[in-house]
Amino acid sequence: MSTLRLFWAVTFPEEIRDKIASVQAVFQKLPLNVKWVETENLHLTIRFIGATDKALVEPLLSTTRGRLAEINAFPLFLRRVGVFPSLKAPRVLWVGVEETPSLLHLHHLVEEAVRSFGFPPDAKRFSPHITLGRFRTGANGLLLQQAMGEIGDVELGKVEVDGIALIASELTPQGPIYSPVGRIDFDCASG
């Protein structure tokens, strides 16, 4: 059986990725031991699936497309910078995404589609964010806290979500390589 490591994601146009990267650049100037996400890989994960038989790609696309048939384009609001799980023990630096009813509905429908193939429920609560980087070792908490105080409440604006992508992730020593294997476009523009 040949497998792909898959996830569903909202991808962003270049101008939005550049705005997010400009926030990332502020933190890159600090002496933090972080593996940074490349600008072209910045995305919002809707549902991580994991190792999946290649033969399931088309059925997964078809089933999810059916579940999302009634979804229209909707806005996402990008704001704030934060860390998981805490400033005392940071593991992930992120830009926040507002939890709107449209986004939560999209996540619910994608979750249903993925689970219909026998995948287990997502173990983590959906917490929409865009990962900027992952801390390799403990961070200088004071330095990080100062930077968060200066830029933490940043407003990056609104982006139109007009579809989602099914992405294959190949893990390499240099970092993941993302390859879209399918896309579902939504109907209509938001109001």
Side-chain angles (χ1 to χ4, degrees):
M1 174 175 82
S2 183
T3 63
L4 294 172
R5 185 174 182 267
L6 298 176
F7 63 93
W8 282 109
V10 171
T11 57
F12 301 110
E14 186 177 357
E15 66 269 14
I16 297 297
R17 290 194 316 262
D18 288 346
K19 274 187 177 180
I20 298 166
S22 69
V23 171
Q24 188 182 47
V26 172
F27 290 91
Q28 287 173 328
K29 293 175 186 171
L30 303 175
L32 301 170
N33 191 3
V34 173
K35 167 63 177 111
W36 298 105
V37 175
E38 293 80 7
T39 302
E40 64 272 11
N41 287 346
L42 293 168
H43 67 275
L44 166 61
T45 300
I46 298 297
R47 174 58 151 91
F48 180 76
I49 303 171
T52 306
D53 186 332
K54 281 185 180 178
L56 286 180
V57 169
E58 285 307 317
L60 190 57
L61 280 164
S62 177
T63 297
T64 307
R65 187 173 284 112
R67 298 261 179 165
L68 302 182
E70 301 300 316
I71 295 277
N72 292 325
F74 62 91
L76 272 188
F77 302 94
L78 312 181
R79 56 175 62 109
R80 290 185 33 247
V81 177
V83 295
F84 290 138
S86 71
L87 271 173
K88 289 183 180 179
R91 305 263 307 139
V92 175
L93 179 67
W94 49 259
V95 165
V97 177
E98 187 178 315
E99 284 189 29
T100 63
S102 296
L103 178 59
L104 295 175
H105 184 58
L106 170 64
H107 172 262
H108 174 75
L109 293 174
V110 170
E111 178 72 21
E112 283 181 344
V114 168
R115 288 179 62 184
S116 74
F117 284 86
F119 289 97
D122 197 343
K124 297 179 187 172
R125 183 183 93 68
F126 182 55
S127 180
H129 66 280
I130 301 158
T131 299
L132 299 178
R134 290 178 176 78
F135 292 88
R136 291 185 171 121
T137 59
N140 178 328
L142 186 58
L143 196 63
L144 188 57
Q145 198 165 1
Q146 286 174 334
M148 297 288 281
E150 291 170 21
I151 196 169
D153 285 333
V154 68
E155 292 276 339
L156 292 172
K158 177 174 90 166
V159 61
E160 188 83 358
V161 177
D162 58 4
I164 59 171
L166 183 60
I167 298 174
S169 171
E170 178 188 348
L171 300 179
T172 73
Q174 294 75 35
I177 298 171
Y178 295 156
S179 307
V181 295
R183 180 173 166 83
I184 298 171
D185 293 314
F186 301 153
D187 290 331
C188 310
S190 67

